[in-house]
Amino acid sequence: YIAARQSCEGGTYSEAVTVVLPTSVVELPYSQNFDDTEAGHGYTLSGTGTNLWAVGTAANNTTDDAGILTENGRALYISSDNGTTTNYNNSSTSNAVAKSPAIAFGEAGSFNLSFDYKVGGESGCDYLSVYLLPYGAEPSTSYRILSRAYNVSSWENFATTLSADYSNGIYQLVFEWKNDYSQGNQPGAIVDNIRIESLSCVPVSSVAATLVE
């Protein structure tokens, strides 16, 4: 609990509020390709139903300097068989969440967030959504950065630039999978090569010209 009061004489304390603080944070640049089995990935995997997040070797999009997929490479993916395959049971309703460790953004003019993903699913019913949450918040449309992706059959790189408003905040990246109980294309959602970094040189967002006579 935290309460505050004025610094002047006779100041009174405000009503105490509950603040949720992380026990540890990781700092930028942050990257995760799930290949390092000794270090661990730090993601919290939870959900209901048959189709849940797993980390394993059934999928991989990490390459070495020669552009060759890493041997025994790993990824984060939805699986109905505890990670053996990337298949999901499209006749069993599920809701699964993978939540990153707490990430401290620090001070910067802007930030770049990216990850690779592939997803089967079904329009409006079986899909992947991604959120960047202030620590302690719950997923909502206000924090969604990728909305209800489905039928992305080849690896695709998602990338977005975040403004300086994210400076000095603590955030968690959340991958959410939902599916209903009728049809849908394989595989479920697959995620790899997550990266968040600060940018010292802010990208140009718009250009305007004025005619001077």
Side-chain angles (χ1 to χ4, degrees):
Y1 297 95
I2 293 178
R5 71 167 189 173
Q6 306 97 316
S7 61
C8 56
E9 185 177 352
T12 58
Y13 279 100
S14 66
E15 184 177 346
V17 296
T18 301
V19 177
V20 179
L21 299 175
T23 55
S24 62
V25 298
V26 295
E27 297 182 347
L28 300 186
Y30 169 77
S31 63
Q32 182 57 256
N33 63 17
F34 303 99
D35 285 1
D36 191 339
T37 57
E38 293 185 5
H41 52 76
Y43 276 70
T44 302
L45 312 179
S46 61
T48 58
T50 302
N51 308 308
L52 300 174
W53 289 106
V55 173
T57 58
N60 172 38
N61 197 44
T62 304
T63 58
D64 60 21
D65 293 338
I68 300 171
L69 287 174
T70 53
E71 185 177 359
N72 297 319
R74 294 148 59 92
L76 172 71
Y77 49 84
I78 289 295
S79 176
S80 62
D81 51 20
N82 296 316
T84 302
T85 70
T86 60
N87 291 337
Y88 78 101
N89 184 341
N90 58 18
S91 61
S92 176
T93 301
S94 301
N95 185 3
V97 172
K99 185 176 289 188
S100 78
I103 304 169
F105 270 46
E107 181 78 29
S110 62
F111 305 86
N112 188 68
L113 184 157
S114 64
F115 56 86
D116 298 339
Y117 75 102
K118 233 182 358 180
V119 60
E122 177 191 7
S123 175
C125 299
D126 305 358
Y127 53 81
L128 169 70
S129 292
V130 184
Y131 305 84
L132 184 61
L133 304 181
Y135 185 81
E138 293 297 324
S140 73
T141 55
S142 300
Y143 305 124
R144 193 159 59 196
I145 59 174
L146 179 65
S147 179
R148 298 189 173 190
Y150 72 99
N151 283 354
V152 180
S153 58
S154 299
W155 283 105
E156 188 166 308
N157 179 258
F158 171 88
T160 185
T161 299
L162 306 170
S163 72
D165 293 342
Y166 287 83
S167 288
N168 300 314
I170 298 177
Y171 297 90
Q172 287 182 290
L173 190 60
V174 175
F175 298 92
E176 182 180 46
W177 166 262
K178 288 185 176 182
N179 71 268
D180 67 358
Y181 52 84
S182 64
Q183 61 185 3
N185 298 318
Q186 302 295 341
I190 311 174
V191 177
D192 204 359
N193 301 322
I194 303 163
R195 183 166 180 82
I196 307 174
E197 59 188 342
S198 57
L199 302 176
S200 57
C201 187
V202 179
V204 176
S205 58
S206 62
V207 176
T210 301
L211 177 62
V212 179
E213 297 182 0

